[in-house]
Amino acid sequence: MGYQTDFVGYLQIDPPLGPRERSAINRIAGSPYLREPGAPLRVADEDDELLRGLLRDAPRGWSNWGVCDEGCCLSYNGGDKANHMVPWLRFLMATFLVPGAPVEGIPGMTCDHLLTGMVVGSRRDTRELFSITARGGDIEVELLWPGNPQWSDYPRLGYQIEIDRVRAWVTDQRSRGWPALKS
């Protein structure tokens, strides 16, 4: 059994990602083979083959990084078991964002982006706090508070209760077929 981590913050993307770049990164958040939110089942396209090839070198688990609709921010997408955020961030940078990335030269993939910003994580099992900072093309991880394994038996904190309540509500709404939340 793994552990849950909650994240707050974002990484600014400059210049913003284009539509194909946004789609590729968001497709691999969870699974590249799921349909886009709100869309009907789709026929496989040329990006499916591209992503299959690129994901051979991907970190374990799945990416929990998502790009906003404007393409200017990368943040935690709310997915479960985000235990590999740093390896996935490094993979996304090296694969899609920086000069020399494997997708460079593919139409719609510019590979000329710089990430700056900070995301702070809080592990649910120990309450460890850490930051992930993107600055000048580098990723830094810093322990902000060490946490304690004994705290895993403590009751959830207020913000954790609220996050869990909203997740349960969204799951319930999706199961009822609420159109705005169909995935």
Side-chain angles (χ1 to χ4, degrees):
M1 186 165 124
Y3 57 87
Q4 179 69 35
T5 304
D6 300 309
F7 293 92
V8 64
Y10 65 94
L11 305 176
Q12 183 178 344
I13 305 170
D14 188 42
L17 299 173
R20 191 169 188 192
E21 294 166 316
R22 288 192 311 265
S23 175
I25 291 173
N26 285 337
R27 268 181 160 172
I28 62 175
S31 170
Y33 311 111
L34 296 178
R35 61 190 172 101
E36 304 263 340
L41 292 175
R42 62 179 177 77
V43 176
D45 62 22
E46 64 184 275
D47 283 345
D48 289 319
E49 190 61 35
L50 171 69
L51 291 174
R52 271 192 284 280
L54 293 169
L55 291 175
R56 288 186 189 114
D57 297 323
R60 59 180 270 199
W62 50 83
S63 172
N64 286 107
W65 290 102
V67 179
C68 72
D69 291 343
E70 292 78 26
C72 62
C73 297
L74 189 65
S75 65
Y76 171 56
N77 70 358
D80 195 27
K81 304 296 184 208
N83 302 338
H84 306 286
M85 294 288 280
V86 174
W88 270 101
L89 180 57
R90 288 187 171 124
F91 174 81
L92 293 175
M93 286 179 66
T95 305
F96 295 99
L97 302 176
V98 299
V103 299
E104 191 170 48
I106 294 174
M109 303 285 193
T110 60
C111 303
D112 64 348
H113 307 283
L114 184 63
L115 295 178
T116 54
M118 179 184 288
V119 174
V120 176
S122 175
R123 282 182 55 158
R124 291 263 183 123
D125 60 340
T126 64
R127 298 187 182 168
E128 172 185 286
L129 293 174
F130 62 94
S131 65
I132 303 168
T133 304
R135 182 183 1 223
D138 291 326
I139 303 299
E140 301 167 12
V141 180
E142 181 181 359
L143 179 64
L144 303 174
W145 188 255
N148 185 330
Q150 294 174 332
W151 293 343
S152 64
D153 296 330
Y154 285 24
R156 292 176 297 161
L157 297 170
Y159 80 89
Q160 295 168 334
I161 292 168
E162 185 62 16
I163 288 170
D164 293 344
R165 186 190 67 75
V166 170
R167 281 186 178 144
W169 180 83
V170 168
T171 300
D172 178 62
Q173 295 303 307
R174 283 183 176 148
S175 71
R176 294 172 189 235
W178 195 37
L181 294 175
K182 285 186 179 178
S183 54

